[in-house]
Amino acid sequence: MDDEYVRRTAITRLVVSDEQQSLLEATISEYLTGTQLATDMVWPNVSTKDKLQPLAYDPIREQTDLSSQHAILATHQAAEAISGCLERKNKGLKASKPTYTSPTITYDTRTMTLFDDHTVSLTTVESRIRCPLALPQDEDGYQWQFLNDAQWELTESTLTARDGTYFLHMGFRRHKTDAERTAEQRTAENGTVLGVDLGVENIAVTSTGTFVSGGELTHWQNEYEQRRASLQQCGTRWAHENMQSVGRKEDGRFTILVHETANTILAEARENDCTHIAFEDLTDIRERLPDATWQHRWAFRKIVEIVTYKAKSDGIRVEQVNPRHTSQQCSHTDCGFTHEDNRPTTNGQDEFRCLKCGYEIHADYNAAKNIAVKCAKNLHRLHTSSGGGAPVDVRLNSGLLTVESRGTVVPR
Ligand SMILES: [Zn+2]
């Protein structure tokens, strides 16, 4: 069932009067009592909604003031908590009987109604109450896209109290579009990843072996610095204007270069029928690439941004992976040895030579392969947890690597 829908949550504060607040407080308190009651009755022997509901429904109705539907929801909540605990236990983790203290209650479409005037009516232990949603004034609030679009339907919501303020987490869902379904199928059936390493000497290197030299960027950057330095010495108005024009010319060259690089990466992905393009996460790029100037860092971010934007229309997804060890690890399938000395600094930055297996390869290409494999492993893990377990391919210049059962990487 979950496969048919896209699900989102919109969070908003509720405007409540004092009287409504005490009703909500009482309702939440009864709900926690009911959920605990159901849990205490069956722990740890029953963990499914179907079995728990008939056992605990009557006792909850007798011992709390909950409405019939909230009594049912409390049994469902208990079942979910118990099965979560048992799952942890099965993994050998510590898991004791669930207790419920956080002031939170579930509302479904039977216990909550959302009206067009952006108020909600909520079931309580006494009468229903109707409260306005405290939505953002401007139309930019992300909540509006769910409220103002009939495609999105309300599902299950949770109400949480925090210091006397009530937050409603409204669950929405809509049917997936055909494009979304197709993209997912492609991924689930058999993903193919193109890895991309971004750097200074080579601005981009793909796992298919395409190199985009960073020479031009460095050249224009030096030109700029030099001309700026000499103009600065003149210090006249004329020099100032000239400097700005150097800057503009610079910006133009950088922008063209960045677009060309992004297009090369995209063309490579299309030609090789890739479903995913993987970059490194750029968060700590300043520390990881001390040689990169602000122009490089700007270029890297821009490249990822353009590729992400343009890839969408081809149904290609862009992922960013954790950069840890991607440049130090040996990308040979039988090895994977990680050591900083795999990059001998004496013989130039290009070289990667594995201290363990002796594998020699261009350092940036080694990184691009590692990035692709990392992404493929993440995707494979996702497939496996969603029950698919389909293998994921990595596109190389010499063929394919396939990440299959339990993350093993095999050449094809
Ligand atoms: Zn090795």
Side-chain angles (χ1 to χ4, degrees):
M1 184 190 85
D2 261 10
D3 295 330
E4 297 170 40
Y5 296 101
V6 177
R7 290 166 192 277
R8 292 285 181 275
T9 305
I11 305 172
T12 181
R13 199 165 51 77
L14 276 188
V15 181
V16 291
S17 67
D18 290 348
E19 195 189 335
Q20 290 175 330
Q21 177 166 349
S22 49
L23 276 175
L24 286 175
E25 263 169 28
T27 309
I28 292 177
S29 161
E30 290 292 275
Y31 185 76
L32 298 180
T33 307
T35 312
Q36 194 66 58
L37 190 78
T39 306
D40 293 348
M41 278 182 70
V42 302
W43 169 263
N45 304 314
V46 179
S47 62
T48 62
K49 292 177 187 177
D50 297 354
K51 285 189 183 145
L52 209 160
Q53 188 181 319
L55 287 171
Y57 176 79
D58 285 338
I60 293 176
R61 289 286 278 160
E62 280 156 25
Q63 295 175 49
T64 71
D65 295 329
L66 289 176
S67 68
S68 57
Q69 188 61 17
H70 263 145
I72 292 172
L73 291 172
T75 65
H76 292 180
Q77 177 116 29
E80 261 168 43
I82 294 171
S83 70
C85 261
L86 295 180
E87 234 167 72
R88 278 199 295 281
K89 222 174 189 171
N90 286 340
K91 285 180 189 159
L93 299 167
K94 193 172 164 280
S96 45
K97 186 176 80 178
T99 53
Y100 309 90
T101 48
S102 149
T104 298
I105 182 170
T106 305
Y107 276 96
D108 63 2
T109 49
R110 291 193 191 182
T111 45
M112 178 177 113
T113 311
L114 173 64
F115 295 100
D116 286 343
D117 64 357
H118 305 134
T119 62
V120 284
S121 105
L122 300 164
T123 300
T124 71
V125 284
E126 286 175 26
S127 53
R128 273 202 169 218
I129 56 169
R130 190 155 171 175
C131 328
L133 304 174
L135 289 158
Q137 288 299 308
D138 56 89
E139 294 284 316
D140 294 341
Y142 76 97
Q143 296 91 341
W144 293 109
Q145 63 184 302
F146 307 112
L147 294 165
N148 291 341
D149 184 344
Q151 277 196 79
W152 290 99
E153 56 170 334
L154 190 70
T155 58
E156 224 170 62
S157 306
T158 56
L159 181 68
T160 300
R162 205 161 58 222
D163 305 325
T165 307
Y166 288 84
F167 293 93
L168 188 61
H169 296 234
M170 291 183 286
F172 286 94
R173 69 177 189 193
R174 67 161 170 78
H175 283 284
K176 280 180 186 160
T177 63
D178 287 343
E180 282 166 337
R181 246 194 295 266
T182 316
E184 243 166 49
Q185 244 160 21
R186 268 185 83 190
T187 315
E189 276 165 10
N190 204 353
T192 304
V193 182
L194 179 77
V196 184
D197 180 57
L198 301 173
V200 175
E201 195 177 332
N202 292 294
I203 192 152
V205 175
T206 69
S207 59
T208 44
T210 297
F211 286 69
V212 180
S213 164
E216 199 186 342
L217 197 147
T218 309
H219 165 80
W220 281 101
Q221 192 176 298
N222 291 342
E223 195 96 324
Y224 177 50
E225 295 301 336
Q226 269 170 26
R227 290 188 62 179
R228 202 170 67 149
S230 70
L231 288 169
Q232 240 160 6
Q233 279 168 0
C234 302
T236 60
R237 186 168 153 262
W238 175 85
H240 177 73
E241 276 172 10
N242 238 291
M243 211 156 84
Q244 283 187 325
S245 90
V246 175
R248 270 196 298 277
K249 195 173 167 198
E250 251 334 273
D251 286 351
R253 281 309 309 165
F254 283 157
T255 306
I256 291 169
L257 193 66
V258 157
H259 276 271
E260 280 171 358
T261 309
N263 287 338
T264 305
I265 295 167
L266 282 160
E268 207 63 23
R270 286 188 201 112
E271 260 168 46
N272 290 288
D273 229 353
C274 292
T275 55
H276 290 76
I277 299 173
F279 293 98
E280 283 177 313
D281 189 304
L282 296 175
T283 313
D284 300 319
I285 191 79
R286 197 186 283 263
E287 288 73 37
R288 283 194 294 114
L289 279 186
D291 292 347
T293 62
W294 67 265
Q295 284 98 334
H296 285 107
R297 293 195 295 270
W298 174 83
F300 299 157
R301 283 180 217 290
K302 212 68 198 159
I303 289 166
V304 174
E305 193 183 300
I306 296 166
V307 170
T308 306
Y309 172 74
K310 287 192 174 177
K312 245 179 217 165
S313 57
D314 292 302
I316 299 171
R317 303 252 284 259
V318 173
E319 306 282 340
Q320 285 184 273
V321 303
N322 185 339
R324 201 173 140 80
H325 299 323
T326 47
S327 62
Q328 297 170 0
Q329 187 172 15
C330 173
S331 66
H332 196 278
T333 44
D334 298 328
C335 182
F337 178 67
T338 303
H339 200 286
E340 58 182 67
D341 293 344
N342 283 344
R343 298 279 306 270
T345 42
T346 44
N347 301 339
Q349 282 292 304
D350 306 5
E351 195 183 344
F352 182 96
R353 193 171 58 214
C354 179
L355 293 178
K356 193 175 170 201
C357 74
Y359 186 48
E360 283 186 37
I361 182 173
H362 191 287
D364 296 342
Y365 182 60
N366 182 64
K369 261 172 86 175
N370 282 332
I371 291 165
V373 169
K374 235 179 195 185
C375 175
K377 282 186 175 175
N378 291 346
L379 292 172
H380 179 70
R381 214 171 295 135
L382 272 181
H383 292 177
T384 310
S385 67
S386 69
V392 180
D393 292 330
V394 168
R395 188 65 70 171
L396 302 179
N397 62 353
S398 54
L400 287 174
L401 288 179
T402 300
V403 175
E404 41 179 47
S405 57
R406 291 188 299 280
T408 5
V409 184
V410 281
R412 282 275 175 273

